[in-house]
Amino acid sequence: MKKVSIFNIKGGVAKTTSTANLGAVLSQEGKKVLLIDLDPQSNLTKLFKAYSMDDLTISDVLLDKDLDITKVIKHTDFENIDILPSNVTLAFAERKILLDVSRSQQNRLAKALKNIEGYDYCIIDTRPVFDSLTKNAFHVADIMLTPIKFDNYCRDNLALVEQFVNEYADEKMEWKICANMVANGKAQRETMADLIGKHDYPILDTCVSRSAVVDNALNLYKPVLKHRRLSSVAQDYLELAKELMEA
């Protein structure tokens, strides 16, 4: 099972959207996909209609080493896509992890996923903060994908992410960057040229276009591919997934 963690220290760069749509593309390619929601906001869980305050969640997986993780996984309405859901208790679980010094704090997710079989890809959505939850996502990842938006803050945010990658990521992990919400504006072109020309960042070739189709799909609780599969942004996600599969 190839594991991809989606992370950026900056919010509003479509991390959850990227997670959902990459999962949808991979599932359409016949891959069995497990999504993991490591964000207490739980937007990925809500998108796939799996939110509950009563059921087991990723919080239980991280806090109870003896828990059978297969009992936490939920099926979604979409073929080949399952999810390890989240809810607001994950915000409190993070503190409990820090206070528990009896076992590793950063490898809990990796150990839990060793007990899972039958999936080709695992895609992990994270929140925009450096914490123990994010470190768990780092330590399990084969690829860390950082979605970015070409704006005035992009360079500074990438510098922070690069520092975090260098300090905490395992050597086996590959760092990749993808551009989201791309329009053909002068400011975006200048930022893009600067990043490519002056920095050695691992930016993928595929750019995801800015499109109202994405917001419409989210409002309908669907990935773009399940809403408007022939749209240009759906094709962007197809190309992005292809790049990741070849990485």
Side-chain angles (χ1 to χ4, degrees):
M1 180 172 67
K2 194 168 191 176
K3 297 170 284 292
V4 181
S5 293
I6 313 290
F7 174 76
N8 194 337
I9 189 63
K10 185 179 185 298
V13 294
K15 291 186 296 295
T16 300
T17 303
S18 299
T19 305
N21 284 292
L22 286 172
V25 171
L26 291 168
S27 71
Q28 180 175 278
E29 295 295 316
K31 307 298 183 184
K32 184 72 173 175
V33 179
L34 175 66
L35 304 178
I36 299 180
D37 194 345
L38 267 185
D39 186 345
Q41 291 189 73
S42 311
N43 289 334
L44 184 69
T45 300
K46 294 170 185 175
L47 174 60
F48 285 93
K49 302 177 183 178
Y51 191 88
S52 171
M53 288 300 296
D54 300 318
D55 298 340
L56 293 170
T57 68
I58 188 64
S59 299
D60 300 287
V61 173
L62 295 173
L63 295 174
D64 184 355
K65 61 180 174 48
D66 297 318
L67 178 65
D68 181 357
I69 192 172
T70 61
K71 294 181 178 179
V72 188
I73 295 172
K74 289 185 174 183
H75 300 302
T76 72
D77 293 339
F78 305 103
E79 186 178 4
N80 290 332
I81 301 179
D82 292 342
I83 188 169
L84 267 173
S86 172
N87 62 28
V88 70
T89 61
L90 187 58
F92 306 101
E94 200 271 335
R95 176 171 173 77
K96 292 178 181 178
I97 291 172
L98 291 176
L99 293 174
D100 182 7
V101 296
S102 64
R103 61 191 181 104
S104 171
Q105 298 176 344
Q106 301 177 10
N107 293 302
R108 297 187 179 195
L109 183 59
K111 291 180 179 178
L113 290 181
K114 288 181 179 179
N115 299 318
I116 289 182
E117 297 179 349
Y119 293 97
D120 300 296
Y121 283 88
C122 172
I123 309 179
I124 306 167
D125 188 25
T126 65
R127 61 177 174 174
V129 63
F130 298 139
D131 62 4
S132 63
L133 300 178
T134 307
K135 291 175 184 176
N136 269 273
F138 268 41
H139 281 284
V140 76
D142 299 301
I143 296 174
M144 188 188 80
L145 180 65
T146 299
I148 61 172
K149 181 181 178 182
F150 289 131
D151 57 22
N152 293 336
Y153 311 104
C154 182
R155 285 181 289 266
D156 293 339
N157 294 327
L158 276 180
L160 289 172
V161 175
E162 182 178 33
Q163 180 180 344
F164 194 57
V165 168
N166 291 336
E167 185 171 352
Y168 291 106
D170 292 342
E171 291 182 1
K172 68 176 179 64
M173 190 194 80
E174 292 185 76
W175 182 33
K176 301 293 182 183
I177 299 169
C178 70
N180 259 334
M181 296 175 279
V182 175
N184 192 25
K186 179 181 178 182
Q188 285 196 332
R189 290 198 303 270
E190 290 176 350
T191 302
M192 185 175 184
D194 177 77
L195 287 175
I196 295 173
K198 298 180 181 178
H199 304 277
D200 189 25
Y201 288 131
I203 301 176
L204 295 171
D205 292 332
T206 304
C207 294
V208 178
S209 308
R210 185 171 64 189
S211 173
V213 172
V214 176
D215 292 330
N216 293 338
L218 290 174
N219 288 335
L220 294 171
Y221 297 94
K222 292 181 178 180
V224 170
L225 206 66
K226 304 297 183 179
H227 173 53
R228 292 278 299 277
R229 65 183 182 86
L230 297 179
S231 64
S232 61
V233 70
Q235 299 308 306
D236 292 340
Y237 280 115
L238 283 165
E239 292 300 317
L240 179 61
K242 186 183 299 183
E243 272 200 83
L244 286 177
M245 284 191 286
E246 293 172 353

